[in-house]
Each structure stands twice: as C-alpha cells, then as structure tokens.
Amino acid sequence: MRRLPPLTAIEAFVQVARLGSLKAAAEELSLSSPALSRRVQALERFVGRPLFERRHQALRLNDDGERLLAQIAPAIDRLSDAVETMMSGTEVMRLRLNVLPLFAAQRLIPKMPALRARHPQLHLDVDTGGHSLARLGDGIDVAIILAPMVEPAFYARRLDRNKVHVIGARSLVDGPNPLVEPRQLSRHTVLVHRDMPDTFVEWRQAAGLDELVPMAVDHFDSGSLMLEAAAQGIGVAFMLESHYADARDDRLVKLFDLDVDSAYSYWFVCRPRALNQRPVRIFHDWLIEALGAV
C-alpha cells in the first residue's frame, strides 16, 4: 500500500486553503498557529513542493496547491460525513449551500421545516460568503445566486422572474412634501445592491428618465441592511418585487406605479456532475417544487 501523509496534515492544509488565513484555520481546529503551520509544512515536505504563496500573515494557494485541494477536499468532506453517520447511528446526507442572506431569511429558512420533515437525513451547512461560483466543488456543493444569466459551464435553474420596485419609508409619502413623482428622486439618495448594480439604470431607462441624477448612489452588499436603511429614511432602495413582498414591513411602501422587468433572477447553480450526488438532487427537486420555480 502506498504511503499517505498524516490525516492531520491534510486536514490542516484543507482548512488553511479554504479560510485563506493561518489564524482562522488554527481557531477552527483548536490549534496554535505554530502547530498548524508545522502540519502544513509536513504535507509540503511529503509532496516535495510548496503549496502556498506566503505573504506576511496571509497564505494563498499556488497552482500545485489548487490542484491538490481540488482532488482531496471532496474526499475529506466525504470522510467527515461517513464518520458523522457512524457516530449518529443514522444515515446523514450533508449539503454545502452558498446562499445570499436575504434569500435565505425570506424564502429558504421559512420553508426548511417542510424539507426537514420530508428528508430528515439531509442536513445543510450554510455559507453566505462571496465568490460562490469560484468555490463550487471546493467546499460548496450548490449556490443560490442573483444574476442576469449564468455561464454555460454550470448547471443553472432559474428560480424566479422579478420586477424592479422602488422602495422607501412610508414617511416619504405621508409627510408634508410627499415623494409622488419619479423626477423628485433628484433630491434623494438611491440605494443599490452590489449584486444588482444595473437595477437603478434599468428602472430609469424604462421610466424614460435617462437624465435623472439622484443626490447620491450608495451601494450595499446586504439586502437586509438595504431594506432597513430604506425603512429608516436613509435612502430609496431599488430592489426586486419579491424582496418588498417578503419583507412584510409596514414601515415600507412601494413608490410609483411603474412596473419594470428586472434582468436579475435568483438561480440554483452547481457543477453538472454534482447533480449525480443524492443530497444535491434531493435539495434541487425540493427547492424547485417549494418555490414553484419558472
């Protein structure tokens, strides 16, 4: 039988590679940073080449490290699941899901009890970090993203179609100088999500107001914070119809009676081969049914 490096060295390598930080990986594994560094170095000595580019306190995978991670990370995840199944005495299927926090809070978590009742053996590890498509197959099995389209290298299923809503605080229409005309936005701050940078431009063009310039455009990477900022009167949010409807926040109102189709949709995305994995297929089929996806 061929020799293998210590499992502890492989585990250390995978954690550092995924987290991009020796300190964060050490905390995850309950080790000191020097102890973790020695384990990573032991693996590098075993394979006979460096696996990281070392820059001050940060570690970044080099090309050899990327290739090794792509081959061994899925095996480590399956090994972890197998041990968990043995310890629990029941079959455990684990899905590693990347999802935007607002979608998770509004549309996924409320439906999760039904998924648990139907498939009690399926468990989700939820990740809300960025760069989801780049991490598919490496620590992430499935991503739910917000985008106009998905490149054909991935399997993608559109989960909805939406319209752009202009959302603001109720005080904007109930106050002494109500906001009733789109041109009045020139006196207001516009709030735009970084994952939907063209939303305001789409709406402005559809409204025939190409010359409209708001007081400012502020960008957010959190839909929940955008809704709260709008409710507090900090700005006027350009978001999707589903975001407004699912918020169910009496402090918010839809501004202007203007329907504009959005180019952005939520998508279920995975690598094509991942559909052969039972947890992925179960979650995919349940999600499509639960959302009534288009």
Side-chain angles (χ1 to χ4, degrees), residues 89-100:
T90 59
E91 179 187 12
V92 174
M93 293 188 295
R94 189 163 298 280
L95 181 80
R96 298 160 183 90
L97 170 68
N98 178 272
V99 60
L100 293 169

Side-chain angles (χ1 to χ4, degrees), residues 5-77:
L7 181 59
T8 53
I10 296 175
E11 182 184 37
F13 163 72
V14 171
Q15 284 293 341
V16 174
R18 286 177 170 171
L19 296 176
S21 163
L22 197 65
K23 181 180 179 181
E27 292 176 354
E28 184 73 17
L29 295 175
S30 300
L31 294 170
S32 67
S33 293
L36 182 62
S37 181
R38 287 193 293 271
R39 292 186 181 185
V40 172
Q41 292 168 2
L43 181 62
E44 290 178 319
R45 287 195 299 271
F46 188 94
V47 300
R49 64 192 69 186
L51 301 172
F52 292 94
E53 296 176 6
R54 289 166 168 81
R55 300 176 180 176
H56 303 295
Q57 298 298 318
L59 293 178
R60 182 168 177 247
L61 285 173
N62 59 25
D63 291 342
D64 288 328
E66 292 278 6
R67 285 194 294 270
L68 183 60
L69 181 67
Q71 294 180 61
I72 69 172
I76 286 291
D77 291 336

Side-chain angles (χ1 to χ4, degrees), residues 3 10 48 64 68 93 110 121-122 142 165 167 198 204 244 246 267 270 292:
R3 291 176 56 236
I10 296 175
D64 288 328
L68 183 60
M93 293 188 295
Q121 73 278 31
L122 179 63
V142 168
H165 270 23
I167 306 169
D198 300 326
R204 184 174 62 181
Y244 172 69
D246 292 337
W267 298 80
C270 66

